[in-house]
Amino acid sequence: MNTLYKLSPSDLTFLWDECQRCFYLKVVHKFNRPAMAFPKIFTLIDLMMKDFFYDLPADEISPDLPPGKVAYSSKWVYSQPISFARHDASCYIRGIFDTVLEFTDGSFAVVDFKTTKPKAEHINFYTRQLHAYAYALENPNPGKFTLSPISKMGLLCVEPVAMSRTQQGNLAYEGEVTWLECPKDDDKFLNFFDMVLEVLDSPDAPPANPKCSFCNYRDNARQTGY
Ligand code: SF4
């Protein structure tokens, strides 16, 4: 029987770029490297941003967006299987998106919130994650959440730039808001998946990233016997 792999949108960005060996071991063998500490404050900020923007007009995200509103927040997506004739294995996407806008023309936009200084390279880095959510929304597994068509996608970057005192006496961070739109290119995204399945179809894991301290630690432990 051909294998159907589950892929998480964030792994297509961070893990794939960092080390294809770790990606392979996680997806094919369910062998995960130790979790890295992730400051809880970023999860809290992310939740606050989603609450703040929910139901607001789309021009609160960017005046360049068409008329519409922030309509959905934190929902699971689950795609149909993605397969190619030249690969035995196939895969599907499963994950939770940040936010989706609904435009008055009936189309939608996938948005990811980032607490960061906006940089042009963020567009290329996060484009696979945004495409994965868009693909799963437009091509859902039967019975799963769906929105279509997805006409836009992008990042809402909030960079803390100042601090002020509120009327209640609390301190508030002030953030500069920048909208980075990621061009939607479905063909390029499917070509990327073709490449991912080529790696997953291989009987052996790709080489490790020589700069990774985890694998260096494991090698040192083997060599020293500790
Ligand atoms: S080098 Fe090793 S531990 Fe580091 S990311 Fe790759 S497989 Fe994982």
Side-chain angles (χ1 to χ4, degrees):
M1 196 176 75
N2 292 345
T3 314
L4 176 65
Y5 294 115
K6 178 180 79 172
L7 299 181
S8 119
S10 57
D11 285 347
L12 296 172
T13 298
F14 295 100
L15 200 51
W16 175 266
D17 268 13
E18 213 177 306
C19 179
Q20 288 179 15
R21 182 181 183 80
C22 228
F23 179 87
Y24 179 99
L25 294 177
K26 179 176 179 181
V27 175
V28 176
H29 296 297
K30 312 276 181 284
F31 184 77
N32 295 348
R33 71 179 176 191
M36 315 269 267
F38 184 74
K40 203 175 164 193
I41 189 70
F42 288 111
T43 310
L44 283 174
I45 293 172
D46 200 53
L47 285 173
M48 281 190 270
M49 280 206 264
K50 284 178 198 161
D51 279 355
F52 176 81
F53 281 103
Y54 184 71
D55 220 25
L56 289 181
D59 61 7
E60 288 274 343
I61 301 271
S62 166
D64 298 334
L65 288 169
K69 68 169 188 170
V70 180
Y72 301 94
S73 174
S74 301
K75 284 198 173 290
W76 279 98
V77 293
Y78 193 131
S79 80
Q80 287 173 5
I82 304 169
S83 56
F84 298 88
R86 72 190 193 97
H87 300 305
D88 291 333
S90 54
C91 59
Y92 66 97
I93 298 160
R94 189 164 182 267
I96 302 178
F97 64 71
D98 261 2
T99 288
V100 169
L101 312 184
E102 181 170 18
F103 299 124
T104 52
D105 67 1
S107 70
F108 301 88
V110 176
V111 178
D112 220 53
F113 292 127
K114 303 286 176 206
T115 304
T116 183
K117 186 182 181 68
K119 293 182 188 159
E121 52 261 42
H122 286 153
I123 296 174
N124 275 339
F125 185 70
Y126 290 107
T127 187
R128 287 179 227 135
Q129 188 177 357
L130 292 166
H131 272 87
Y133 293 129
Y135 185 89
L137 284 166
E138 290 184 320
N139 303 275
N141 216 32
K144 300 298 179 186
F145 188 67
T146 179
L147 296 170
S148 185
I150 306 295
S151 57
K152 290 189 177 292
M153 54 179 69
L155 305 171
L156 185 74
C157 300
V158 180
E159 181 190 8
V161 289
M163 193 171 253
S164 58
R165 180 78 67 185
T166 66
Q167 284 181 342
Q168 292 77 25
N170 292 328
L171 287 176
Y173 283 108
E174 294 177 22
E176 208 164 84
V177 180
T178 307
W179 167 245
L180 294 179
E181 185 154 339
C182 297
K184 190 163 180 267
D185 186 337
D186 294 336
D187 290 342
K188 193 171 166 193
F189 180 65
L190 286 175
N191 285 340
F192 165 68
F193 258 94
D194 194 3
M195 196 165 63
V196 169
L197 281 172
E198 188 161 343
V199 168
L200 298 177
D201 246 354
S202 165
D204 301 310
N209 178 346
K211 292 185 184 154
C212 173
S213 53
F214 283 114
C215 267
N216 289 338
Y217 181 81
R218 286 208 315 164
D219 279 348
N220 284 341
R222 280 192 205 105
Q223 282 166 23
T224 57
Y226 291 136

